[in-house]
Amino acid sequence: MNQAIAKADTLIEAMGWIRRFRGKTTVIKLGGSLLEDQTALHHLLLDVIFMETVGLRPVVVHGGGKAITQAMADAGIVAQFIRGRRVTDESSLKVVEQVLAGELNIELTEMMERLGGRAINLSPRTTCVLHGQKLLDPEYGDLGFVGEVTSVDRDVIEGLAYTDQVAVIPSLCYDDGGQLYNVNADTAAMAVAQSLGADKLVFLSDVNGVRSDENDPKSIIPAMSAEEARELISSGVIRGGMIPKVEACLETLDRGVQKVHIIDGRLRHSLLLEIFTTDGVGTEIHA
């Protein structure tokens, strides 16, 4: 009986958050090692289905870096990176499109359907909602068919949300001439969140958030303002690979998204714990 009461108490705690975020859009960025971990992915997609069921409007944007690298290796193509960005020539682009639009995007939507949700894959093979141009940045050099998102078909994504379906979007875009480009999944998620006026953007990572001591998982900072985040970067508390993640969060806040979260997607039901509990499990950065 005590266990049943505890479950009821958890639901009551969640009720306030559900009422607060009902009807609000949350963009969830999936990628990296999470797509290789079937158990973690299973629970994350259950979380997404729960969010939609109780009235939130989740949108999933995904990459597929590790799967792409493996597929390129199987095809005899050597992966090349410049400052962390994948160089994408014509043969590489074919592999990227096959993995993102032909495999992962379909796998994610079908998995959600099997789990009882309703999902639609919005890819270049169905309905492409990301439009952009070739990424031209002297800092990175010529990366080939790598692009940046310049516009998002907001009406298509919102139309699905109104019919209780979750949009699942791969990080690929077309330009005005019909050329396909590979896009960094973080920046694609940022563009979608900005276009939709999302209340939240969640970056699912393999760390549990921003830490005051990067080697101590218990030193997680549960919440901080954008100003505090910039101070922590300047003081060296935030350093290494966490800097670009936090800088991406700050850029997203500057574009009108209300809150950005960094959470460990490997933790079972981390999405629900972050959004529907008082303490959360990751780091929330707000304006």
Side-chain angles (χ1 to χ4, degrees), residues 161-205:
Y162 286 125
T163 57
D164 303 328
Q165 299 179 89
V166 178
V168 183
I169 306 168
S171 53
L172 295 164
C173 74
Y174 275 125
D175 69 9
D176 292 339
Q179 175 61 54
L180 185 67
Y181 290 100
N182 180 23
V183 180
N184 176 273
D186 286 348
T187 59
M190 290 164 57
V192 171
Q194 178 190 9
S195 175
L196 296 176
D199 185 73
K200 293 179 181 290
L201 169 59
V202 180
F203 288 106
L204 294 167
S205 180

mmCIF file of all heavy atoms in Angstrom, residues 161-205:
data_model
loop_
_atom_site.group_PDB
_atom_site.id
_atom_site.type_symbol
_atom_site.label_atom_id
_atom_site.label_comp_id
_atom_site.label_asym_id
_atom_site.label_seq_id
_atom_site.Cartn_x
_atom_site.Cartn_y
_atom_site.Cartn_z
ATOM 1 N N ALA A 161 1.247 18.157 -34.613
ATOM 2 C CA ALA A 161 1.020 18.265 -33.168
ATOM 3 C C ALA A 161 -0.462 18.395 -32.863
ATOM 4 O O ALA A 161 -0.959 17.809 -31.891
ATOM 5 C CB ALA A 161 1.784 19.458 -32.603
ATOM 6 N N TYR A 162 -1.191 19.127 -33.694
ATOM 7 C CA TYR A 162 -2.632 19.302 -33.473
ATOM 8 C C TYR A 162 -3.402 17.997 -33.668
ATOM 9 O O TYR A 162 -4.520 17.856 -33.165
ATOM 10 C CB TYR A 162 -3.183 20.376 -34.407
ATOM 11 C CG TYR A 162 -2.801 21.779 -34.015
ATOM 12 C CD1 TYR A 162 -2.166 22.633 -34.916
ATOM 13 C CD2 TYR A 162 -3.066 22.265 -32.729
ATOM 14 C CE1 TYR A 162 -1.809 23.923 -34.555
ATOM 15 C CE2 TYR A 162 -2.708 23.545 -32.359
ATOM 16 C CZ TYR A 162 -2.078 24.374 -33.274
ATOM 17 O OH TYR A 162 -1.718 25.642 -32.907
ATOM 18 N N THR A 163 -2.809 17.046 -34.399
ATOM 19 C CA THR A 163 -3.462 15.745 -34.600
ATOM 20 C C THR A 163 -2.819 14.670 -33.728
ATOM 21 O O THR A 163 -2.929 13.482 -34.022
ATOM 22 C CB THR A 163 -3.405 15.322 -36.080
ATOM 23 O OG1 THR A 163 -2.030 15.291 -36.519
ATOM 24 C CG2 THR A 163 -4.177 16.292 -36.951
ATOM 25 N N ASP A 164 -2.133 15.110 -32.666
ATOM 26 C CA ASP A 164 -1.563 14.195 -31.654
ATOM 27 C C ASP A 164 -0.511 13.256 -32.232
ATOM 28 O O ASP A 164 -0.408 12.091 -31.847
ATOM 29 C CB ASP A 164 -2.673 13.370 -30.980
ATOM 30 C CG ASP A 164 -3.733 14.247 -30.330
ATOM 31 O OD1 ASP A 164 -3.378 15.351 -29.859
ATOM 32 O OD2 ASP A 164 -4.906 13.844 -30.305
ATOM 33 N N GLN A 165 0.301 13.785 -33.153
ATOM 34 C CA GLN A 165 1.393 13.013 -33.726
ATOM 35 C C GLN A 165 2.719 13.727 -33.448
ATOM 36 O O GLN A 165 2.774 14.951 -33.399
ATOM 37 C CB GLN A 165 1.200 12.837 -35.233
ATOM 38 C CG GLN A 165 -0.074 12.081 -35.589
ATOM 39 C CD GLN A 165 -0.259 11.950 -37.083
ATOM 40 O OE1 GLN A 165 0.210 11.016 -37.711
ATOM 41 N NE2 GLN A 165 -0.946 12.912 -37.675
ATOM 42 N N VAL A 166 3.764 12.935 -33.283
ATOM 43 C CA VAL A 166 5.081 13.480 -32.983
ATOM 44 C C VAL A 166 5.923 13.507 -34.254
ATOM 45 O O VAL A 166 6.097 12.479 -34.923
ATOM 46 C CB VAL A 166 5.805 12.635 -31.911
ATOM 47 C CG1 VAL A 166 7.202 13.188 -31.643
ATOM 48 C CG2 VAL A 166 4.989 12.592 -30.622
ATOM 49 N N ALA A 167 6.433 14.670 -34.602
ATOM 50 C CA ALA A 167 7.314 14.800 -35.757
ATOM 51 C C ALA A 167 8.705 14.301 -35.397
ATOM 52 O O ALA A 167 9.244 14.651 -34.346
ATOM 53 C CB ALA A 167 7.381 16.253 -36.204
ATOM 54 N N VAL A 168 9.281 13.474 -36.272
ATOM 55 C CA VAL A 168 10.642 12.962 -36.086
ATOM 56 C C VAL A 168 11.453 13.415 -37.297
ATOM 57 O O VAL A 168 11.178 13.011 -38.431
ATOM 58 C CB VAL A 168 10.660 11.425 -35.959
ATOM 59 C CG1 VAL A 168 12.079 10.932 -35.689
ATOM 60 C CG2 VAL A 168 9.720 10.966 -34.845
ATOM 61 N N ILE A 169 12.456 14.263 -37.049
ATOM 62 C CA ILE A 169 13.129 15.003 -38.125
ATOM 63 C C ILE A 169 14.626 14.690 -38.132
ATOM 64 O O ILE A 169 15.313 14.920 -37.133
ATOM 65 C CB ILE A 169 12.926 16.517 -37.934
ATOM 66 C CG1 ILE A 169 11.434 16.847 -37.807
ATOM 67 C CG2 ILE A 169 13.567 17.296 -39.073
ATOM 68 C CD1 ILE A 169 11.160 18.266 -37.328
ATOM 69 N N PRO A 170 15.177 14.202 -39.250
ATOM 70 C CA PRO A 170 16.626 13.992 -39.345
ATOM 71 C C PRO A 170 17.330 15.288 -39.697
ATOM 72 O O PRO A 170 16.727 16.210 -40.263
ATOM 73 C CB PRO A 170 16.752 12.971 -40.475
ATOM 74 C CG PRO A 170 15.595 13.290 -41.372
ATOM 75 C CD PRO A 170 14.485 13.768 -40.474
ATOM 76 N N SER A 171 18.613 15.360 -39.395
ATOM 77 C CA SER A 171 19.383 16.588 -39.614
ATOM 78 C C SER A 171 19.895 16.668 -41.060
ATOM 79 O O SER A 171 21.089 16.578 -41.339
ATOM 80 C CB SER A 171 20.547 16.674 -38.622
ATOM 81 O OG SER A 171 21.329 15.492 -38.663
ATOM 82 N N LEU A 172 18.945 16.842 -41.970
ATOM 83 C CA LEU A 172 19.215 17.014 -43.395
ATOM 84 C C LEU A 172 18.362 18.165 -43.906
ATOM 85 O O LEU A 172 17.228 18.342 -43.462
ATOM 86 C CB LEU A 172 18.857 15.746 -44.181
ATOM 87 C CG LEU A 172 19.665 14.481 -43.898
ATOM 88 C CD1 LEU A 172 18.931 13.264 -44.460
ATOM 89 C CD2 LEU A 172 21.053 14.582 -44.511
ATOM 90 N N CYS A 173 18.898 18.935 -44.861
ATOM 91 C CA CYS A 173 18.107 20.024 -45.434
ATOM 92 C C CYS A 173 18.331 20.119 -46.933
ATOM 93 O O CYS A 173 19.333 19.623 -47.463
ATOM 94 C CB CYS A 173 18.455 21.357 -44.759
ATOM 95 S SG CYS A 173 20.060 22.058 -45.241
ATOM 96 N N TYR A 174 17.365 20.724 -47.613
ATOM 97 C CA TYR A 174 17.468 21.026 -49.040
ATOM 98 C C TYR A 174 17.670 22.522 -49.224
ATOM 99 O O TYR A 174 17.138 23.330 -48.446
ATOM 100 C CB TYR A 174 16.179 20.638 -49.771
ATOM 101 C CG TYR A 174 16.099 19.194 -50.213
ATOM 102 C CD1 TYR A 174 15.020 18.404 -49.836
ATOM 103 C CD2 TYR A 174 17.072 18.635 -51.034
ATOM 104 C CE1 TYR A 174 14.916 17.087 -50.254
ATOM 105 C CE2 TYR A 174 16.985 17.321 -51.457
ATOM 106 C CZ TYR A 174 15.900 16.551 -51.063
ATOM 107 O OH TYR A 174 15.812 15.254 -51.478
ATOM 108 N N ASP A 175 18.412 22.902 -50.275
ATOM 109 C CA ASP A 175 18.461 24.319 -50.623
ATOM 110 C C ASP A 175 17.427 24.598 -51.707
ATOM 111 O O ASP A 175 16.676 23.705 -52.123
ATOM 112 C CB ASP A 175 19.876 24.739 -51.056
ATOM 113 C CG ASP A 175 20.328 24.141 -52.386
ATOM 114 O OD1 ASP A 175 19.501 23.516 -53.091
ATOM 115 O OD2 ASP A 175 21.520 24.285 -52.724
ATOM 116 N N ASP A 176 17.359 25.836 -52.160
ATOM 117 C CA ASP A 176 16.338 26.232 -53.129
ATOM 118 C C ASP A 176 16.490 25.519 -54.466
ATOM 119 O O ASP A 176 15.523 25.395 -55.228
ATOM 120 C CB ASP A 176 16.386 27.752 -53.363
ATOM 121 C CG ASP A 176 15.945 28.532 -52.134
ATOM 122 O OD1 ASP A 176 15.249 27.948 -51.280
ATOM 123 O OD2 ASP A 176 16.317 29.718 -52.023
ATOM 124 N N GLY A 177 17.705 25.037 -54.759
ATOM 125 C CA GLY A 177 17.941 24.334 -56.013
ATOM 126 C C GLY A 177 17.738 22.840 -55.917
ATOM 127 O O GLY A 177 17.973 22.115 -56.888
ATOM 128 N N GLY A 178 17.313 22.352 -54.743
ATOM 129 C CA GLY A 178 17.079 20.924 -54.578
ATOM 130 C C GLY A 178 18.289 20.122 -54.163
ATOM 131 O O GLY A 178 18.245 18.887 -54.164
ATOM 132 N N GLN A 179 19.389 20.812 -53.786
ATOM 133 C CA GLN A 179 20.582 20.111 -53.323
ATOM 134 C C GLN A 179 20.426 19.729 -51.853
ATOM 135 O O GLN A 179 20.037 20.549 -51.025
ATOM 136 C CB GLN A 179 21.830 20.978 -53.502
ATOM 137 C CG GLN A 179 23.110 20.372 -52.945
ATOM 138 C CD GLN A 179 23.479 19.057 -53.590
ATOM 139 O OE1 GLN A 179 23.578 18.971 -54.814
ATOM 140 N NE2 GLN A 179 23.656 18.018 -52.790
ATOM 141 N N LEU A 180 20.737 18.487 -51.543
ATOM 142 C CA LEU A 180 20.647 18.000 -50.178
ATOM 143 C C LEU A 180 21.938 18.300 -49.420
ATOM 144 O O LEU A 180 23.034 18.227 -49.989
ATOM 145 C CB LEU A 180 20.403 16.489 -50.184
ATOM 146 C CG LEU A 180 20.163 15.817 -48.830
ATOM 147 C CD1 LEU A 180 18.841 16.276 -48.232
ATOM 148 C CD2 LEU A 180 20.184 14.297 -48.982
ATOM 149 N N TYR A 181 21.818 18.628 -48.135
ATOM 150 C CA TYR A 181 22.980 18.898 -47.298
ATOM 151 C C TYR A 181 22.878 18.173 -45.957
ATOM 152 O O TYR A 181 21.782 17.988 -45.405
ATOM 153 C CB TYR A 181 23.117 20.404 -47.022
ATOM 154 C CG TYR A 181 23.526 21.222 -48.227
ATOM 155 C CD1 TYR A 181 22.560 21.930 -48.957
ATOM 156 C CD2 TYR A 181 24.846 21.287 -48.636
ATOM 157 C CE1 TYR A 181 22.922 22.679 -50.063
ATOM 158 C CE2 TYR A 181 25.216 22.035 -49.749
ATOM 159 C CZ TYR A 181 24.254 22.730 -50.454
ATOM 160 O OH TYR A 181 24.603 23.463 -51.554
ATOM 161 N N ASN A 182 24.014 17.770 -45.466
ATOM 162 C CA ASN A 182 24.155 17.216 -44.128
ATOM 163 C C ASN A 182 24.250 18.386 -43.143
ATOM 164 O O ASN A 182 24.980 19.350 -43.382
ATOM 165 C CB ASN A 182 25.431 16.353 -44.077
ATOM 166 C CG ASN A 182 25.680 15.738 -42.731
ATOM 167 O OD1 ASN A 182 24.768 15.563 -41.923
ATOM 168 N ND2 ASN A 182 26.934 15.385 -42.471
ATOM 169 N N VAL A 183 23.517 18.326 -42.039
ATOM 170 C CA VAL A 183 23.468 19.431 -41.078
ATOM 171 C C VAL A 183 23.832 18.915 -39.691
ATOM 172 O O VAL A 183 23.440 17.807 -39.303
ATOM 173 C CB VAL A 183 22.053 20.064 -41.031
ATOM 174 C CG1 VAL A 183 22.005 21.220 -40.037
ATOM 175 C CG2 VAL A 183 21.640 20.547 -42.415
ATOM 176 N N ASN A 184 24.582 19.690 -38.939
ATOM 177 C CA ASN A 184 24.860 19.358 -37.550
ATOM 178 C C ASN A 184 23.543 19.248 -36.785
ATOM 179 O O ASN A 184 22.701 20.146 -36.845
ATOM 180 C CB ASN A 184 25.756 20.431 -36.936
ATOM 181 C CG ASN A 184 26.008 20.215 -35.466
ATOM 182 O OD1 ASN A 184 25.228 20.658 -34.630
ATOM 183 N ND2 ASN A 184 27.088 19.531 -35.135
ATOM 184 N N ALA A 185 23.355 18.139 -36.061
ATOM 185 C CA ALA A 185 22.063 17.884 -35.419
ATOM 186 C C ALA A 185 21.746 18.897 -34.323
ATOM 187 O O ALA A 185 20.577 19.258 -34.122
ATOM 188 C CB ALA A 185 22.034 16.466 -34.853
ATOM 189 N N ASP A 186 22.760 19.367 -33.591
ATOM 190 C CA ASP A 186 22.515 20.369 -32.558
ATOM 191 C C ASP A 186 21.955 21.648 -33.160
ATOM 192 O O ASP A 186 20.981 22.219 -32.651
ATOM 193 C CB ASP A 186 23.804 20.678 -31.788
ATOM 194 C CG ASP A 186 24.200 19.573 -30.836
ATOM 195 O OD1 ASP A 186 23.378 18.663 -30.599
ATOM 196 O OD2 ASP A 186 25.327 19.606 -30.317
ATOM 197 N N THR A 187 22.582 22.107 -34.247
ATOM 198 C CA THR A 187 22.128 23.355 -34.863
ATOM 199 C C THR A 187 20.779 23.169 -35.543
ATOM 200 O O THR A 187 19.966 24.103 -35.594
ATOM 201 C CB THR A 187 23.161 23.889 -35.868
ATOM 202 O OG1 THR A 187 23.389 22.899 -36.893
ATOM 203 C CG2 THR A 187 24.477 24.198 -35.185
ATOM 204 N N ALA A 188 20.503 21.962 -36.073
ATOM 205 C CA ALA A 188 19.185 21.695 -36.657
ATOM 206 C C ALA A 188 18.113 21.772 -35.581
ATOM 207 O O ALA A 188 17.037 22.365 -35.792
ATOM 208 C CB ALA A 188 19.171 20.317 -37.322
ATOM 209 N N ALA A 189 18.376 21.186 -34.412
ATOM 210 C CA ALA A 189 17.415 21.236 -33.305
ATOM 211 C C ALA A 189 17.194 22.673 -32.847
ATOM 212 O O ALA A 189 16.058 23.076 -32.527
ATOM 213 C CB ALA A 189 17.910 20.374 -32.153
ATOM 214 N N MET A 190 18.268 23.459 -32.814
ATOM 215 C CA MET A 190 18.145 24.865 -32.436
ATOM 216 C C MET A 190 17.243 25.612 -33.405
ATOM 217 O O MET A 190 16.391 26.415 -32.998
ATOM 218 C CB MET A 190 19.532 25.507 -32.390
ATOM 219 C CG MET A 190 20.402 25.037 -31.244
ATOM 220 S SD MET A 190 22.154 25.440 -31.475
ATOM 221 C CE MET A 190 22.091 27.218 -31.681
ATOM 222 N N ALA A 191 17.411 25.355 -34.709
ATOM 223 C CA ALA A 191 16.603 26.038 -35.718
ATOM 224 C C ALA A 191 15.134 25.663 -35.585
ATOM 225 O O ALA A 191 14.250 26.521 -35.712
ATOM 226 C CB ALA A 191 17.115 25.685 -37.120
ATOM 227 N N VAL A 192 14.864 24.390 -35.319
ATOM 228 C CA VAL A 192 13.475 23.943 -35.157
ATOM 229 C C VAL A 192 12.864 24.586 -33.914
ATOM 230 O O VAL A 192 11.731 25.080 -33.943
ATOM 231 C CB VAL A 192 13.415 22.404 -35.066
ATOM 232 C CG1 VAL A 192 12.005 21.941 -34.682
ATOM 233 C CG2 VAL A 192 13.827 21.774 -36.393
ATOM 234 N N ALA A 193 13.609 24.590 -32.808
ATOM 235 C CA ALA A 193 13.107 25.181 -31.563
ATOM 236 C C ALA A 193 12.799 26.661 -31.746
ATOM 237 O O ALA A 193 11.766 27.168 -31.276
ATOM 238 C CB ALA A 193 14.121 24.984 -30.445
ATOM 239 N N GLN A 194 13.681 27.383 -32.430
ATOM 240 C CA GLN A 194 13.461 28.807 -32.662
ATOM 241 C C GLN A 194 12.226 29.035 -33.532
ATOM 242 O O GLN A 194 11.385 29.888 -33.224
ATOM 243 C CB GLN A 194 14.685 29.420 -33.347
ATOM 244 C CG GLN A 194 14.508 30.899 -33.663
ATOM 245 C CD GLN A 194 15.619 31.445 -34.561
ATOM 246 O OE1 GLN A 194 16.426 30.670 -35.068
ATOM 247 N NE2 GLN A 194 15.649 32.736 -34.746
ATOM 248 N N SER A 195 12.104 28.258 -34.603
ATOM 249 C CA SER A 195 10.983 28.438 -35.520
ATOM 250 C C SER A 195 9.644 28.174 -34.841
ATOM 251 O O SER A 195 8.665 28.882 -35.086
ATOM 252 C CB SER A 195 11.142 27.497 -36.719
ATOM 253 O OG SER A 195 10.019 27.556 -37.569
ATOM 254 N N LEU A 196 9.606 27.175 -33.974
ATOM 255 C CA LEU A 196 8.358 26.797 -33.316
ATOM 256 C C LEU A 196 8.063 27.649 -32.083
ATOM 257 O O LEU A 196 6.990 27.513 -31.491
ATOM 258 C CB LEU A 196 8.406 25.320 -32.913
ATOM 259 C CG LEU A 196 8.507 24.299 -34.048
ATOM 260 C CD1 LEU A 196 8.647 22.896 -33.478
ATOM 261 C CD2 LEU A 196 7.301 24.383 -34.971
ATOM 262 N N GLY A 197 9.022 28.494 -31.696
ATOM 263 C CA GLY A 197 8.854 29.238 -30.453
ATOM 264 C C GLY A 197 8.752 28.299 -29.271
ATOM 265 O O GLY A 197 7.914 28.476 -28.380
ATOM 266 N N ALA A 198 9.603 27.276 -29.262
ATOM 267 C CA ALA A 198 9.528 26.221 -28.252
ATOM 268 C C ALA A 198 9.742 26.763 -26.847
ATOM 269 O O ALA A 198 10.530 27.683 -26.631
ATOM 270 C CB ALA A 198 10.560 25.135 -28.548
ATOM 271 N N ASP A 199 9.025 26.177 -25.906
ATOM 272 C CA ASP A 199 9.229 26.525 -24.502
ATOM 273 C C ASP A 199 10.525 25.926 -23.998
ATOM 274 O O ASP A 199 11.223 26.529 -23.183
ATOM 275 C CB ASP A 199 8.061 26.012 -23.659
ATOM 276 C CG ASP A 199 8.151 26.457 -22.212
ATOM 277 O OD1 ASP A 199 7.904 27.645 -21.957
ATOM 278 O OD2 ASP A 199 8.493 25.626 -21.348
ATOM 279 N N LYS A 200 10.854 24.723 -24.508
ATOM 280 C CA LYS A 200 12.069 24.035 -24.065
ATOM 281 C C LYS A 200 12.786 23.393 -25.240
ATOM 282 O O LYS A 200 12.158 22.938 -26.202
ATOM 283 C CB LYS A 200 11.723 22.915 -23.058
ATOM 284 C CG LYS A 200 11.179 23.373 -21.722
ATOM 285 C CD LYS A 200 10.858 22.170 -20.838
ATOM 286 C CE LYS A 200 10.291 22.585 -19.496
ATOM 287 N NZ LYS A 200 11.323 23.236 -18.667
ATOM 288 N N LEU A 201 14.111 23.342 -25.122
ATOM 289 C CA LEU A 201 14.951 22.537 -26.005
ATOM 290 C C LEU A 201 15.798 21.657 -25.107
ATOM 291 O O LEU A 201 16.476 22.156 -24.202
ATOM 292 C CB LEU A 201 15.837 23.419 -26.889
ATOM 293 C CG LEU A 201 16.944 22.710 -27.679
ATOM 294 C CD1 LEU A 201 16.369 21.656 -28.621
ATOM 295 C CD2 LEU A 201 17.778 23.731 -28.468
ATOM 296 N N VAL A 202 15.733 20.343 -25.336
ATOM 297 C CA VAL A 202 16.457 19.395 -24.494
ATOM 298 C C VAL A 202 17.557 18.731 -25.322
ATOM 299 O O VAL A 202 17.274 18.084 -26.333
ATOM 300 C CB VAL A 202 15.521 18.317 -23.923
ATOM 301 C CG1 VAL A 202 16.311 17.347 -23.043
ATOM 302 C CG2 VAL A 202 14.387 18.953 -23.130
ATOM 303 N N PHE A 203 18.808 18.918 -24.882
ATOM 304 C CA PHE A 203 19.938 18.214 -25.478
ATOM 305 C C PHE A 203 20.198 16.959 -24.657
ATOM 306 O O PHE A 203 20.579 17.047 -23.484
ATOM 307 C CB PHE A 203 21.191 19.089 -25.485
ATOM 308 C CG PHE A 203 21.149 20.231 -26.473
ATOM 309 C CD1 PHE A 203 20.966 21.537 -26.036
ATOM 310 C CD2 PHE A 203 21.281 19.998 -27.827
ATOM 311 C CE1 PHE A 203 20.936 22.592 -26.934
ATOM 312 C CE2 PHE A 203 21.248 21.047 -28.735
ATOM 313 C CZ PHE A 203 21.077 22.346 -28.300
ATOM 314 N N LEU A 204 19.981 15.790 -25.249
ATOM 315 C CA LEU A 204 20.270 14.536 -24.570
ATOM 316 C C LEU A 204 21.739 14.213 -24.774
ATOM 317 O O LEU A 204 22.207 14.063 -25.901
ATOM 318 C CB LEU A 204 19.384 13.421 -25.121
ATOM 319 C CG LEU A 204 17.897 13.605 -24.819
ATOM 320 C CD1 LEU A 204 17.061 12.667 -25.657
ATOM 321 C CD2 LEU A 204 17.619 13.388 -23.348
ATOM 322 N N SER A 205 22.467 14.105 -23.674
ATOM 323 C CA SER A 205 23.916 13.942 -23.715
ATOM 324 C C SER A 205 24.309 12.640 -23.035
ATOM 325 O O SER A 205 23.456 11.854 -22.607
ATOM 326 C CB SER A 205 24.574 15.142 -23.014
ATOM 327 O OG SER A 205 25.965 15.035 -23.029
#
